[in-house]
Amino acid sequence: MSTPAPEATVTRATCPYCGTGCGVLIESRQGRIIQVKGDPQHPANFGRLCTKGSTLHLTAADHVSRQARLLTPMARATRGAEPTPLSWDTALEQAADRFARIIREHGPQAVGFYGSGQLLTEDYYVLNKLVKGLIGTNNLDTNSRLCMSSAVAGYKATLGADAPPACYDDFQHAQTLFIVGANTAWAHPILFRRIEDARKANPEMKLIVADPRRTETADMADLFLPIRPGTDVALFHGMLNVLISEGLTDPDYIARHTQGFEALATLVQDWTPQQAAATCGIPVDDLVLAARWMGSHTPSLSLYCQGLNQSSRGTDKNAALINLHLATGQIGKPGAGPFSLTGQPNAMGGREVGGMANLLSAHRDLANPAHREEVAALWGVDEVPAQPGLTAVEMFEAAARGEIKALWIACTNPAQSLPDQATVRGALARAEFVVVQEAFATTATCAHADLLLPATTWGEKDGTVTNSERRISRVRPAAGPSGEARHDWFIFTDFGRRLEARLPDRTARYRAGTRTLFPYTSPESVWNEHRESTRGRDLDITGLSYALLDSAGPQQWPMPQGAAQGTARLYTDGVFPTADGRARFAAMPYEPVAEAQDAAYPFSLNTGRLRDQWHGMSRTGTLGRLFGHVSEPVVEVNPQDLARLGLQDGALVSVRSRRGEVIVPAQANDGMAEGQAYIAMHWGAEYLGGADADGLPRQGVNALTQPRFCPTSKQPELKHAAVRIEPATLPWRLTALVWLPADQALAVREALKPLMTAFPFASCVPFGREGDETGPGSRVGVLFRAAAATAADEALLARLLALMGLA
Ligand SMILES: Nc1nc2c(c(=O)[nH]1)N[C@H]1C(S)=C(S)[C@@H](COP(=O)(O)OP(=O)(O)OC[C@H]3O[C@@H](n4cnc5c(=O)[nH]c(N)nc54)[C@H](O)[C@@H]3O)O[C@H]1N2
Ligand SMILES: Nc1nc2c(c(=O)[nH]1)N[C@H]1C(S)=C(S)[C@@H](COP(=O)(O)OP(=O)(O)OC[C@H]3O[C@@H](n4cnc5c(=O)[nH]c(N)nc54)[C@H](O)[C@@H]3O)O[C@H]1N2
Ligand code: SF4
Ligand SMILES: [Mo]
């Protein structure tokens, strides 16, 4: 900490958005955050920030908090009613009563907890112990199931442990960089800047990008492979076929450090380059060239994200890519390796504490009795439950069937981000008791809560996160909590103690000397317990402490006791964390996407990110300026497809899958292949509304997506749903735009939101800004669009215009 101006304080923290994990310097004055800058000393970003990171301070402004944050605990007497404030004590007593009663009456399997890769490691650790240690169920899953679970399963199946082996420095050593299923230019912008630097420094470096869409990342590529949706395994098998036939594998590495190559080699014999290229829909020569670069223009490094993970064959896609690195020995040395880019800022930390339905602390496995015993001993309980918990999609399906009676949702917005929203909404409606622990009051999920618990968030929180390259950084508070918000670790701790008092059966299982499972007084006290759980494990951090993070800066695990610093690369000695020290090849057949296109649903719908928005947009959506890059929801399609449908660019269309429908303007984009469509994943019911013929509210992009998941990782196939696109005949149109003072615009947009359901199509977004958005002097646009078959009635219009201050 230093002090540039007499009254400004500078706090070192981490950006709360993507898994790049950039360091930030937060400037505050009298406890108010006034500026944010990149931390020049942070090894992820060396002072740089992207559009989202560099505008963080604006999202923490007082007028934003007043309009958008959840500031007190609130309860609803009945569903659909306006929530009313209550004290923390009453709120947590009610929560503990309800949970204890449901657990007593229906058993621990009747409750479910759904968390987030945006929780800090300390938050996550307490939550995991609460659910598995105290309550005695493994029904704890998180949005990481929608995000990184295929990467976890892919690493474990091949390398033996869930650990990204490479590091960001490897970008500058790689000769071939293979970006597959990732739009790094938008989703990990600062990493992309580092890739651009590496290419400038080394003009020989080759960049290959494989993605069904021509993205900004693809535009940078030396070789772009516009593969058909879901055909990655065929691509990788075809590349391996070329590597073998051209003698580009590393037989010595294969012999000394791996197992199972013969079976794989036999499998890929059938995947001739011709066969693979035909399956992927790309030129044979391009596939062969990609394989040659990967095998001979070395070292080669692969970066990948949701294009591989969010697939009904996500684990196979991950494993088949890792096969290429093992077969060529391109792993464990500078510039080489398979390197999954982590989506959320702390999905890695969540994996470390084992905060998912099939994992246990410190990369232990629930299925392993010895691991369960170790964790039980660490926690001071007789046992942790053996029965695997319900994963994200399964948990909501079980709740929709009435099997899960109480749901606790923290730091995620499932009514926006889970696939098959019809089922999700059914689950939220059917559950007897829904707790939502949130920082912002404006999310779709908040509307379904019986109890709303206000959480602190970026700028206020204290703890640690781990980024994509296994680097642990401190998150430090620059301001006090907004309103009555509390830290997530503390909410879980407080609730845990109250629940302990109500569950004597459970606490009777505590080992002698264990008085409470939740003795925590600070994030550091939680973290120290987590650290102890890693002793002797692959991610051992017993050499690290908060004090060391303060003095020596962020460190990469493992860092066992006695180590002077963290570990940049794994498997440098070719020894893997498997029983025999050898990595495993995975010989998996190629399987197509789960929901094939057919005559009724001829388009493949792909979904993903925009550069300047973050998921459900609870934070990025508070700034008019972040709508400058892409301002409104659209479905992107190839211009030929648009012409075939007889539509002009911008025409309203109905996009319908077997599960639901949205109405949205179509946008021609020649980066889209014919037969494919793309809607950004951010457009939930908060921004893209309307009601169906029965008057039921539309549920945004995930009304369309499908719940089918990878059998191993249970990650759903969010990237592919079969849809049909038809003109929407809604001739009556309304467009209303108003410029409002920044301290009113968000509240007006909130007031307008319910009106979206009065029309078959409606969207409502902040629209640009005049001035700097920092205070009452500047203005933010609010844009409301609607369409209907016939003119809206006068009263409705009058209400709309009055809310916008136009009447
Ligand atoms: N701006 C911004 N950045 C973010 C986020 C955000 O919300 N906004 N979220 C963060 C999170 S949590 C995550 S998980 C990451 C996601 O980061 P990415 O995975 O890089 O981003 P996506 O846009 O979800 O998807 C990447 C690409 O996969 C492609 N794709 C679809 N299907 C296939 C396929 O079958 N094969 C291949 N090879 N590619 C396919 C899509 O066309 C898309 O371009 O971003 C992180 N960063
Ligand atoms: N169609 C489609 N759907 C997708 C995806 C896709 O590519 N396509 N991607 C999936 C992926 S990879 C992901 S990661 C998910 C993300 O989906 P979500 O997890 O639903 O996304 P967020 O909007 O980031 O939700 C985080 C919530 O936590 C709140 N919050 C912020 N800070 C704190 C805090 O400190 N404490 C608490 N308690 N709350 C806080 C925020 O206001 C926000 O509402 O979406 C998934 N859904
Ligand atoms: S690249 Fe990711 S971590 Fe870095 S500033 Fe941008 S959003 Fe934040
Ligand atoms: Mo994610």
Side-chain angles (χ1 to χ4, degrees):
M1 319 243 160
S2 62
T3 319
E7 67 301 25
T9 311
V10 176
T11 307
R12 272 213 151 77
T14 311
C15 175
Y17 296 122
C18 84
T20 303
C22 296
V24 295
L25 298 176
I26 312 174
E27 277 178 34
S28 57
R29 200 173 281 134
Q30 292 159 332
R32 285 221 169 86
I33 293 171
I34 51 174
Q35 187 54 271
V36 67
K37 296 197 176 114
D39 179 353
Q41 289 173 26
H42 197 288
N45 57 319
F46 299 106
R48 286 163 159 172
L49 292 178
C50 75
T51 46
K52 298 182 297 302
S54 61
T55 49
L56 272 167
H57 60 295
L58 301 173
T59 69
D62 276 353
H63 69 270
V64 171
S65 301
R66 266 199 312 277
Q67 297 177 86
R69 288 284 301 274
L70 182 61
L71 295 169
T72 60
M74 309 264 261
R76 282 192 174 87
T78 54
R79 292 283 166 80
E82 276 301 306
T84 51
L86 71 173
S87 73
W88 267 108
D89 189 54
T90 314
L92 290 179
E93 284 294 294
Q94 275 183 15
D97 279 343
R98 293 297 291 269
F99 268 76
R101 190 166 57 72
I102 290 170
I103 292 164
R104 274 196 303 266
E105 283 173 17
H106 304 281
Q109 307 305 338
V111 302
F113 288 75
Y114 186 54
S116 170
Q118 293 166 64
L119 291 168
L120 307 186
T121 301
E122 294 75 5
D123 303 330
Y124 237 127
Y125 184 88
V126 184
L127 172 62
N128 196 40
K129 194 177 185 186
L130 165 72
V131 181
K132 296 173 185 173
L134 171 60
I135 298 176
T137 174
N138 289 310
N139 288 344
L140 160 59
D141 217 48
T142 71
N143 59 5
S144 290
R145 188 67 60 186
L146 316 179
C147 185
M148 298 312 292
S149 60
S150 297
V152 174
Y155 280 134
K156 287 168 83 166
T158 52
L159 309 183
D162 171 24
C167 62
Y168 300 159
D169 273 349
D170 285 324
F171 302 167
Q172 76 206 36
H173 300 292
Q175 285 295 337
T176 297
L177 188 62
F178 184 23
I179 301 184
V180 51
N183 184 8
T184 315
W186 284 11
H188 294 89
I190 297 304
L191 293 186
F192 204 68
R193 297 288 90 77
R194 291 183 67 164
I195 292 167
E196 287 172 338
D197 289 349
R199 295 185 84 202
K200 262 187 226 123
N202 173 15
E204 294 303 301
M205 180 175 167
K206 301 293 185 198
L207 176 63
I208 311 169
V209 173
D211 191 310
R213 288 190 308 150
R214 203 181 69 231
T215 60
E216 200 170 302
T217 310
D219 278 337
M220 292 283 296
D222 299 296
L223 178 61
F224 171 44
L225 307 173
I227 59 170
R228 288 201 183 101
T231 57
D232 303 79
V233 170
L235 173 70
F236 303 147
H237 285 354
M239 287 169 72
L240 185 57
N241 179 298
V242 175
L243 290 167
I244 294 172
S245 67
E246 300 200 355
L248 295 175
T249 59
D250 184 341
D252 186 51
Y253 191 90
I254 295 172
R256 288 176 33 187
H257 302 301
T258 71
Q259 213 191 72
F261 188 64
E262 290 69 28
L264 177 63
T266 310
L267 176 84
V268 303
Q269 263 168 19
D270 293 340
W271 285 101
T272 60
Q274 290 72 17
Q275 173 68 35
T279 304
C280 298
I282 57 170
V284 182
D285 290 350
D286 287 355
L287 184 146
V288 172
L289 184 59
R292 285 185 187 150
W293 281 350
M294 285 293 280
S296 60
H297 194 65
T298 55
S300 47
L301 182 72
S302 299
L303 302 180
Y304 52 100
C305 201
Q306 299 314 326
L308 298 197
N309 294 347
Q310 286 170 345
S311 157
S312 56
R313 294 286 155 177
T315 307
D316 296 355
K317 282 188 178 188
N318 273 265
L321 176 64
I322 294 172
N323 284 341
L324 298 183
H325 286 271
L326 291 173
T328 51
Q330 291 300 319
I331 182 169
K333 56 190 182 191
F339 190 1
S340 60
L341 298 175
T342 317
Q344 299 178 86
N346 198 36
M348 288 285 290
R351 286 143 73 175
E352 286 151 35
V353 305
M356 290 178 77
N358 55 328
L359 302 178
L360 272 179
S361 311
H363 288 175
R364 289 181 179 84
D365 273 317
L366 206 65
N368 182 328
H371 285 182
R372 288 201 303 276
E373 172 48 36
E374 283 166 22
V375 173
L378 276 163
W379 285 347
V381 296
D382 277 353
E383 55 168 29
V384 289
Q387 183 187 338
L390 296 169
T391 61
V393 169
E394 296 169 313
M395 190 185 292
F396 281 81
E397 286 174 348
R401 290 192 303 267
E403 292 159 24
I404 294 272
K405 309 208 181 284
L407 270 173
W408 190 301
I409 296 162
C411 201
T412 176
N413 181 14
Q416 196 275 334
S417 57
L418 275 173
D420 187 15
Q421 279 297 314
T423 303
V424 173
R425 304 303 176 100
L428 291 166
R430 179 132 191 218
E432 284 171 29
F433 191 55
V434 177
V435 180
V436 175
Q437 182 171 322
E438 243 296 340
F440 288 80
T442 49
T443 74
T445 309
C446 284
H448 298 269
D450 296 297
L451 190 62
L452 287 154
L453 302 177
T456 55
T457 182
W458 180 85
E460 304 165 354
K461 290 188 78 148
D462 189 4
T464 56
V465 290
T466 308
N467 73 5
S468 286
E469 60 165 2
R470 292 173 278 104
R471 191 180 293 281
I472 301 174
S473 294
R474 283 279 277 120
V475 168
R476 297 185 185 86
S482 289
E484 293 176 35
R486 288 187 178 174
H487 301 313
D488 291 294
W489 71 267
F490 183 69
I491 300 172
F492 296 135
T493 294
D494 193 350
F495 173 71
R497 287 183 191 153
R498 291 172 200 257
L499 199 59
E500 274 177 327
R502 287 167 171 81
L503 295 177
D505 291 3
R506 296 298 315 168
T507 50
R509 297 167 186 233
Y510 288 5
R511 294 186 181 185
T514 309
R515 269 202 303 278
T516 170
L517 296 188
F518 313 99
Y520 312 116
T521 51
S522 64
E524 188 174 6
S525 63
V526 178
W527 189 85
N528 288 345
E529 189 177 308
H530 160 60
R531 172 180 61 188
E532 195 46 42
S533 77
T534 68
R535 191 176 291 280
R537 305 284 309 157
D538 68 304
L539 73 168
D540 194 325
I541 47 166
T542 48
L544 201 55
S545 63
Y546 266 34
L548 207 72
L549 287 169
D550 286 342
S551 60
Q555 298 294 326
Q556 288 172 283
W557 61 250
M559 187 172 167
Q561 210 159 18
Q565 60 191 45
T567 311
R569 285 177 198 89
L570 304 179
Y571 317 134
T572 48
D573 54 1
V575 177
F576 292 87
T578 53
D580 55 7
R582 287 163 180 270
R584 276 25 176 188
F585 282 101
M588 302 295 184
Y590 158 71
E591 300 281 351
V593 295
E595 191 175 63
Q597 295 149 254
D598 57 21
Y601 298 94
F603 283 87
S604 168
L605 177 74
N606 178 1
T607 61
R609 279 140 185 93
L610 294 175
R611 190 192 71 191
D612 289 356
Q613 297 296 350
W614 180 259
H615 301 159
M617 300 155 72
S618 60
R619 184 191 299 280
T620 50
T622 62
L623 299 180
R625 72 182 69 198
L626 292 181
F627 290 79
H629 183 235
V630 172
S631 53
E632 294 177 67
V634 291
V635 56
E636 294 169 51
V637 289
N638 182 278
Q640 300 293 332
D641 282 331
L642 210 56
R644 244 191 308 281
L645 290 164
L647 292 168
Q648 302 285 323
D649 197 12
L652 266 189
V653 293
S654 145
V655 184
R656 186 188 291 275
S657 77
R658 290 186 175 81
R659 294 156 295 277
E661 183 195 20
V662 299
I663 292 179
V664 61
Q667 188 177 69
N669 176 350
D670 60 14
M672 297 294 302
E674 287 177 46
Q676 295 180 31
Y678 184 83
I679 302 180
M681 56 90 56
H682 311 288
W683 305 120
E686 294 94 335
Y687 295 88
L688 172 62
D692 66 15
D694 300 324
L696 294 172
R698 299 191 194 281
Q699 291 151 357
V701 58
N702 280 317
L704 304 170
T705 51
Q706 48 154 337
R708 262 176 284 180
F709 49 64
C710 167
T712 313
S713 68
K714 311 243 176 136
Q715 179 160 355
E717 189 151 70
L718 285 159
K719 288 280 180 267
H720 307 290
V723 297
R724 85 169 154 256
I725 300 177
E726 289 165 335
T729 19
L730 301 169
W732 184 86
R733 298 296 164 93
L734 172 122
T735 304
L737 171 63
V738 60
W739 291 90
L740 294 167
D743 61 356
Q744 293 171 23
L746 298 174
V748 167
R749 202 192 78 83
E750 285 310 306
L752 287 169
K753 259 160 66 174
L755 267 52
M756 286 200 282
T757 53
F759 306 92
F761 158 76
S763 68
C764 184
V765 292
F767 191 79
R769 44 125 184 179
E770 291 173 347
D772 60 5
E773 271 184 90
T774 53
S778 60
R779 300 198 301 165
V780 174
V782 175
L783 173 68
F784 193 100
R785 280 191 200 277
T790 55
D793 71 64
E794 292 296 322
L796 176 63
L797 281 182
R799 225 167 99 217
L800 183 85
L801 297 180
L803 282 171
M804 295 182 91
L806 293 170

